[in-house]
């Protein structure tokens, strides 16, 4: 062999003992030992990785771990797929479940990107989205009765920005009686706080970018389904053909973060509850939206289906105009102004001057996004530092 060919050759894998930590497989393809093996793998007789868009050992292992958490302690087995972002997990799943002419029933207050995807991109494909409060079971039933093209109910609980909770048991019972598929985005809770499979939900979605990773250093999403799900081949096909799998390095980062998920969620919830109580008692605060507060309209639903705590997401309304809100936001020292959530550090967002800046003021206010509304993702810092920071910033409002 000439030196130019030798340079191109792959090196020998020197692994002797098993690595303690999940390796990253940054490879686009996998090698067949023989034509016979290629036939066996492509015909499905033998399991084997082929090409990383179809599946990659790093991503597959991490997807299985999230699936195991979603089914942890339940009498079901689950599996999953890891996608490049939360949004690609949503589009990949939904495009394998609905087709032209089908309808989706969802609430108006889910993640903004999801609403936009449904209304615009899916709308163009002839998939119609109906927006309605999913807590009003009677109204939902009337909608389903009226329109038998609705094939899927899509929900988030708790949902942005009001942290409204939806009774999973009730909505699943309704969906089943109208042969509708149920999909939940469980990003805010993670399986540590809420396991939707327990209530009969069909599919669970995560933006693993948020709490599951927890450190804000990767974008990824997960689709979780029951092991015996009849559509799992279609979903995998949809990931393969839309080209939406997660990169192995990002999968590896999620796995790294997940090792402390239980510890982090415990601290997130403790801090979330304490911040909510602190804000509720503050004279400049009009309203605090947190499902762990007895004053929250859906507190009872949250108590029923959220275990181990009520999460780290809350929103609150300051008695202030835009100018006062600018002073408040700029005065924060510890809390970071960033349009994400679920990281170990406390993150704040003022929707009226960021995520909702380009939305008509009237529509924005009708959806509860007032000038004084702040969304906060409580971190795992010492609680005294978080409340002190909020207190000193509230002084300049
Ligand atoms: C961030 C988020 C998404 C979108 O996830 P990406 O990873 O940013 O694509 C979807 N749902 C919820 C609830 C989110 O917070």
């Amino acid at each position: 062999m000439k030196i130019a060919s030798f340079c191109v050759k792959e090196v020998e894998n020197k692994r002797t003992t098993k690595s303690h930590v999940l390796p990253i497989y940054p490879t686009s393809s996998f090698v067949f030992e023989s034509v016979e093996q290629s036939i066996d793998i492509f015909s499905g007789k033998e399991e084997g990785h082929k090409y990383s868009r179809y599946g990659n050992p790093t991503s597959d292992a991490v997807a299985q771990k999230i699936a195991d958490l979603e089914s942890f302690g339940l009498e079901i087995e689950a599996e999953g797929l890891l996608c490049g972002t939360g949004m690609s997990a949503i589009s990949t799943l939904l495009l394998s479940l609905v087709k032209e002419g089908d309808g989706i029933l969802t609430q108006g207050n889910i993640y903004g990107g999801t609403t936009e995807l449904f209304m615009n991109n899916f709308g163009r494909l002839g998939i119609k989205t109906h927006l309605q409060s999913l807590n009003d079971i009677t109204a939902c039933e009337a909608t389903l009765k009226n329109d038998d093209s609705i094939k899927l109910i899509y929900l988030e609980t708790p949902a942005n920005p009001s942290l409204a909770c939806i009774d999973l048991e009730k909505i699943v019972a309704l969906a089943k009686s109208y042969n509708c598929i149920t999909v939940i985005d469980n990003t805010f809770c993670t399986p540590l706080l809420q396991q939707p499979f327990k209530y009969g939900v069909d599919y669970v979605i995560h933006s693993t970018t948020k709490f599951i990773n927890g450190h804000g250093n990767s974008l990824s999403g997960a689709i979780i389904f029951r092991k015996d799900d009849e559509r799992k081949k279609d979903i995998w096909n949809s990931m393969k053909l839309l080209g939406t799998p997660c990169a192995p390095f990002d999968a590896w980062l999620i796995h790294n973060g997940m090792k402390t998920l239980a510890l982090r969620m415990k601290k997130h919830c403790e801090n979330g509850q304490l911040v909510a109580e602190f804000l509720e008692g503050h004279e400049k605060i009009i309203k605090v939206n947190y499902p762990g507060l007895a004053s929250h309209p859906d507190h009872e639903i949250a108590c029923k289906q959220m275990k181990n705590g009520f999460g780290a997401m809350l929103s609150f309304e300051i008695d202030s105009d835009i100018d006062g809100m600018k002073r408040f936001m700029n005065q924060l020292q510890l809390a970071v102004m960033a349009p994400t959530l679920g990281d170990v550090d406390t993150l704040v967002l003022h929707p009226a001057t960021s995520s909702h800046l380009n939305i008509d003021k009237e529509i924005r206010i009708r959806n509860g996004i007032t000038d004084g509304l702040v969304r906060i993702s409580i971190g795992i810092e010492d609680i005294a530092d978080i409340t002190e920071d909020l207190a000193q910033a509230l002084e300049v409002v």
Side-chain angles (χ1 to χ4, degrees), residues 273-282 285 288 386-388 390-392 394:
Q273 185 74 37
L274 291 168
V275 170
E277 286 166 11
F278 160 78
L279 290 170
E280 197 171 44
H282 197 285
I285 305 293
V288 182
I386 304 173
T387 49
E388 253 169 53
L390 291 169
Q392 64 85 24
L394 280 166

Side-chain angles (χ1 to χ4, degrees), residues 165 167 291 293-294 296-306 310:
C165 300
D167 192 315
L293 291 176
H296 190 279
D298 300 328
H299 180 60
E300 255 175 63
I301 299 174
C303 287
K304 195 169 82 171
Q305 61 198 30
M306 292 176 79
F310 300 98

Side-chain angles (χ1 to χ4, degrees), residues 241-256:
L241 298 176
L242 293 170
T244 51
C246 182
F249 181 59
D250 289 73
W252 185 86
L253 286 168
I254 304 169
H255 181 237
N256 217 25

Side-chain angles (χ1 to χ4, degrees), residues 85-87 90 111 156 185 187-188 207 209-210 219-220 341:
T85 61
M87 284 314 299
I90 297 168
Y111 182 72
E156 277 176 28
D185 180 334
T187 300
F188 276 22
S207 166
T209 308
K210 315 292 168 54
L219 284 177
S220 51
L341 57 98

